[in-house]
Amino acid sequence: MIKTSRIAGAVLGVVALTGSLAACGGDSLEKDKDGGGSSAAAGSGKKGSLVVGAAGFTESKVLAALYSQVLANAGYKTSVTSVNNRELYEPSLEKGQIDVVPEYAATLAEFLNAKTNGAKAAEKKPVASGDVAATVAALQKLAGPRGLKVLPAGRAVDQNAFAVTKEFAAKNKLKTLSDLGKSKAKVKIAAGDECTVRPFCAPGLKSKYGIDVTGIDPKGVGTPQAKQAVKDGTDQLVLTTTTDATLDTYGLVLLQDDKKLQNADNLLPVVNAKHAGSPEIAAALGKLTSTLTTADLVQLNRKVDSERAKPDDVAKDYLKSKSLIN
């Protein structure tokens, strides 16, 4: 999954709602992994019923399970409905068929920008940036007229990221992308072939960080082949995401995007304002949002994808460990 490309895809997706969002260099946020469906309801229902939406990929399912369980603990009867892509679940959220969804600030902002102003206008005048406060403010402005309430963003972020081997980082004293630019090291990037032209990939690395990009090895975004190529020394830099749970397996480490080349795709809850806009719901979700970190999300994804644990079980263990549910 490539997160900044969700922004490009969000613009294109409004033009053709039946298509999947375009990705900067590979799989998109909305890549289908299985069909839609609903989970069994949980919670006492003393405060009413809520439907939590999940997209068709691991991270979204884990987040939906977290949301469902904290809301159930707060006294709501909850169920999770899996809908494969944003083009389908966002209209359902507006209609109140879904009450709550876990979202990504920059991606949803550009999706609604395109839906409101048209794809071409949104592409020329994006509203998302590396500034999370400004991005969330723009998102709130677009979401409000559609009957949606955007709750505060947290520290957890899932966006494009670049990794090198631990040895390469140690040799060149690298912690940030700025360090890589200053090192004058020549790097070949394992990524999607679109990296050649995407502003968040090779062009941005060159212009913002002064990184000497010698070429693109089109092995995809965060694929095993791409990471293996960097591990083997065929390439020096791999395009992946901040919540990639397999970097340690390949001996790779992320370099900090210290100049904020990537847009702020911080996680946040978005609710139907009429059905789920209460302070109680905001408070329950807010405790989770303020607790969850990017590192936490990496571990949760790993448990589901690598250890084959169920999202509901992983969510319950995490919430109990953080004293977020009884």
Side-chain angles (χ1 to χ4, degrees):
M1 294 179 300
I2 182 92
K3 300 309 181 288
T4 50
S5 54
R6 286 193 312 235
I7 297 165
V11 174
L12 296 171
V14 176
V15 178
L17 291 180
T18 56
S20 63
L21 297 192
C24 173
D27 298 341
S28 74
L29 170 66
E30 290 77 13
K31 182 174 179 181
D32 297 348
K33 290 190 177 180
D34 53 28
S38 299
S39 72
S44 67
K46 291 180 180 179
K47 295 183 181 179
S49 298
L50 296 170
V51 177
V52 180
F57 63 99
T58 295
E59 187 169 288
S60 184
K61 292 175 183 178
V62 170
L63 288 166
L66 291 167
Y67 282 22
S68 176
Q69 291 181 33
V70 295
L71 291 170
N73 188 71
Y76 297 89
K77 183 178 181 181
T78 63
S79 61
V80 175
T81 295
S82 181
V83 184
N84 280 333
N85 57 60
R86 183 176 286 107
E87 292 90 347
L88 295 176
Y89 72 67
E90 189 278 331
S92 295
L93 183 63
E94 288 188 25
K95 294 174 184 176
Q97 296 166 336
I98 292 175
D99 301 302
V100 186
V101 294
E103 265 293 0
Y104 302 85
T107 298
L108 184 60
E110 290 306 338
F111 179 88
L112 294 182
N113 185 18
K115 190 172 182 179
T116 301
N117 301 309
K120 291 184 178 179
E123 190 172 1
K124 291 180 180 179
K125 193 174 181 181
V127 297
S129 69
D131 184 329
V132 64
T135 298
V136 172
L139 172 56
Q140 290 171 331
K141 186 175 180 180
L142 289 163
R146 296 183 175 277
L148 304 180
K149 183 178 180 180
V150 178
L151 301 182
R155 293 174 291 166
V157 59
D158 188 353
Q159 62 192 29
N160 285 1
F162 295 90
V164 297
T165 63
K166 293 177 181 179
E167 292 78 10
F168 187 82
K171 177 182 177 181
N172 293 283
K173 299 179 180 178
L174 309 178
K175 290 186 178 180
T176 68
L177 288 171
S178 287
D179 292 338
L180 180 57
K182 293 174 184 176
S183 74
K184 304 301 181 184
K186 297 182 181 297
V187 298
K188 188 174 183 181
I189 306 173
D193 53 9
E194 295 93 339
C195 182
T196 304
V197 297
R198 296 291 190 193
F200 299 108
C201 204
L205 292 176
K206 293 176 182 177
S207 63
K208 196 151 194 169
Y209 287 108
I211 294 172
D212 189 356
V213 178
T214 61
I216 306 299
D217 186 2
K219 283 184 163 59
V221 178
T223 62
Q225 295 86 349
K227 284 177 274 197
Q228 188 65 44
V230 175
K231 179 181 179 181
D232 293 343
T234 303
D235 303 325
Q236 290 72 47
L237 195 66
V238 61
L239 173 59
T240 182
T241 66
T242 52
T243 59
D244 188 329
T246 65
L247 292 177
D248 282 346
T249 304
Y250 295 90
L252 303 180
V253 61
L254 292 177
L255 295 181
Q256 182 185 347
D257 179 21
D258 53 307
K259 292 184 179 180
K260 299 186 184 300
L261 173 64
Q262 310 303 328
N263 283 342
D265 251 334
N266 294 62
L267 287 160
L268 44 66
V270 180
V271 304
N272 178 284
K274 182 179 180 181
H275 295 166
S278 72
E280 291 83 3
I281 290 174
L285 292 172
K287 290 179 182 178
L288 171 61
T289 300
S290 62
T291 301
L292 189 68
T293 66
T294 303
D296 291 341
L297 203 49
V298 171
Q299 294 302 320
L300 294 170
N301 287 340
R302 178 182 289 117
K303 288 179 180 179
V304 175
D305 285 336
S306 299
E307 301 174 19
R308 304 303 178 190
K310 295 180 180 179
D312 283 345
D313 295 338
V314 168
K316 181 183 290 186
D317 289 344
Y318 175 80
L319 294 171
K320 284 185 175 181
S321 74
K322 299 296 183 180
S323 300
L324 292 172
I325 62 173
N326 298 330

